[in-house]
Amino acid sequence: MTLPTDRSDVAADTVRGGPRRRRVRAQVRGVPLPLLVPALIGLAFLVLPLIALLVRAPWRSLPELLTSAEVWQALRLSLVCATAATAVTLVVGVPLAWLLARVEFPGRGLLRALVTLPLVLPPVVGGVALLMALGRNGIVGKSLDSWFGVTLPFTTAGVVVAEAFVAMPFLVISVEGTLRAADPRYEEAAATLGASRFTAFRRVTLPLIAPGIAAGAVLAWARALGEFGATITFAGNFPGRTQTMPLAVYLALQSDPEAAIALSLVLLAVSVAVLAGLRDRWMTAG
Amino acid sequence: MTRTARRTGRPMQVAALGVTALLALSSCSSSDDSSSTKSDSSASASAKLSGTVTVFAAASLKESFTTLGKEFEKAHPGTKVTFSFGGSDSLAASITGGAPADVFASASPKTMAIVTDAGDASGTPATFVHNQLEIATLPGNPDKISSLKDLTRSSLKVVLCDKTVPCGAAAQKALDAGKLKLTPVSYEQDVKAALTKVELKEADAAVVYKTDVHAAGDKVEGVEFPESADAINDYPIVQLKDAQNTEAAKAFIALVRSAEGQKVLTEAGFLQP
């Protein structure tokens, strides 16, 4: 549950990007103690729980715990759903970010606040809200059910919806920040050369903000992978269909803490690998 | 240009932090105030019981224990009963992890064993009630569910508790007793979550405790089934070794086991041991 805040820090960091990091590295020798000490305490606070997980891991029984069919089922579902949720956020999130960054309209500030709301909203609240909207008895879900016979709760699609709901703000914020940093004169130049606004977006803006989109997509993917509250509230828990890794971890903790630690390790390893592997390639470019 | 984006982001984060900090502070100070003034006044009024009793209890005990807590506070002015309701297993895990609690009431002997095996209990746990399963259906029972077997119909969305929590284990036992195979749409993390899915009409039925159906009032309808007799849950209660307030903890357990306490519990749908 501490993960979302960690990740919002990461989000802020990517907006600032690489140059600042390089500057810090150059000045590291002159860091004043009143800054260094709290900084190190902060670092220890974030890293210590992860170290504890490694220390307490049941290394000897790990291979056995991790080769069970349920673990792979949950991991595969997690990866598939997080990727699908990221695709959804890309399709609707990039245009939304463009709207927020490039178009002046009344109420834009309020809209931006609403878009970022899932960042601070407890995921369980998000899950409840999704049930009220898209549940079988929800304000939209009711029509979905009676017109198309589609119900989202308890389905894999429901997991994707829940994950996309909490992950979308990460992409929108990242892309909007990059868009604001990008010079609009390129688009204007394209327009003077006869390109329509959509062509200019497709041919000029999109390649220009690609690194920001990639960074946002990675963050959204990582957030979706770790999503728990909204998923268990909205999509329920059924192995192979809606039981993602975080749900498996939570329920394993009820009866088999060792298995829960082992599952947590897998999720941790996957998250770290993705964030570390993609960070240098994409995230510093913005 | 990035700066504007940052500037809009930061005050919001700061404000959110500030609000949570304020809330945390105010809730701390208010509870401190009330408990200290109460214990002061009780020192002069009744010499015996004072202070706070912290009770960790299974989620299914929420309604009846809340009532008993109020009765206890009324009977012993100056005392305060605070509850932590949750899944028995996670409560047991937090107790063995060092959570400050005086009394533990669990929904199954198995979860109680986690606490006693860790040496965190003082004395032997006593069974104070039984609970029986019931099927919770939508109000008016539109799907005409009359037996456990009816739940195996493929057109129905049924939720069960996960097998790792007591209500799920009991449901599995009942299904085994009836030689039935049931594929639910979800294994929920606790009995209240399972019931909620029916209350919200997302599921057509759930196998939950009789007491939960009772507590939900008109929002669900209960259907009894004979196989539930094979899956009766014992609820044990025990005083914890690290209890801060042993006298009050003893008194609370005595109230739960007294005729008065049993009356509250049976009214909520529990069975007497």
Side-chain angles (χ1 to χ4, degrees), chain B:
Chain B
M1 281 303 231
T2 26
R3 237 175 236 160
T4 44
R6 234 184 289 154
R7 212 176 286 155
T8 49
R10 213 179 264 161
M12 255 184 52
Q13 285 179 348
V14 172
L17 270 177
V19 169
T20 36
L22 269 178
L23 281 176
L25 278 176
S26 60
S27 62
C28 282
S29 60
S30 66
S31 65
D32 283 353
D33 287 351
S34 59
S35 63
S36 63
T37 46
K38 270 185 186 164
S39 52
D40 285 346
S41 62
S42 73
S44 53
S46 73
K48 231 168 164 258
L49 295 177
S50 65
T52 302
V53 200
T54 308
V55 180
F56 278 33
S60 43
L61 291 165
K62 188 165 182 196
E63 289 77 16
S64 39
F65 266 36
T66 308
T67 311
L68 286 174
K70 285 200 188 100
E71 281 187 16
F72 187 82
E73 285 171 8
K74 215 186 278 171
H76 305 282
T79 57
K80 190 167 165 27
V81 188
T82 56
F83 291 105
S84 174
F85 295 109
S88 297
D89 304 75
S90 44
L91 290 176
S94 37
I95 289 169
T96 54
D102 299 311
V103 175
F104 177 44
S106 151
S108 77
K110 199 181 129 232
T111 42
M112 180 54 85
I114 298 172
V115 171
T116 48
D117 288 352
D120 288 330
S122 156
T124 18
T127 300
F128 64 101
V129 278
H130 300 307
N131 208 352
Q132 200 163 354
L133 293 174
E134 211 172 89
I135 298 167
T137 67
L138 301 178
N141 197 356
D143 300 302
K144 309 263 177 299
I145 295 162
S146 59
S147 69
L148 195 59
K149 191 168 187 295
D150 286 346
L151 296 186
T152 57
R153 268 189 255 152
S154 60
S155 57
L156 287 180
K157 284 185 195 293
V158 179
V159 294
L160 295 179
C161 296
D162 197 81
K163 281 161 202 146
T164 57
V165 294
C167 66
Q172 193 54 50
K173 229 173 174 181
L175 286 167
D176 290 347
K179 297 199 173 53
L180 295 168
K181 249 186 122 63
L182 168 60
T183 310
V185 288
S186 176
Y187 291 105
E188 295 292 312
Q189 75 268 36
D190 61 43
V191 63
K192 294 290 180 196
L195 187 69
T196 304
K197 293 279 152 74
V198 179
E199 281 183 24
L200 292 173
K201 299 192 171 64
E202 294 302 340
D204 301 308
V207 178
V208 294
Y209 295 122
K210 211 171 176 169
T211 51
D212 296 300
V213 173
H214 192 279
D218 300 336
K219 284 178 270 178
V220 299
E221 193 166 310
V223 177
E224 292 184 13
F225 58 97
E227 292 89 345
S228 65
D230 294 299
I232 286 177
N233 264 38
D234 291 343
Y235 280 56
I237 191 167
V238 80
Q239 185 197 318
L240 296 169
K241 212 177 70 191
D242 292 335
Q244 300 285 309
N245 199 342
T246 49
E247 289 309 311
K250 276 198 187 94
F252 184 79
I253 294 172
L255 172 69
V256 169
R257 302 184 66 189
S258 70
E260 200 188 342
Q262 291 293 315
K263 198 174 148 245
V264 171
L265 287 158
T266 40
E267 269 169 15
F270 284 104
L271 309 169
Q272 291 204 9

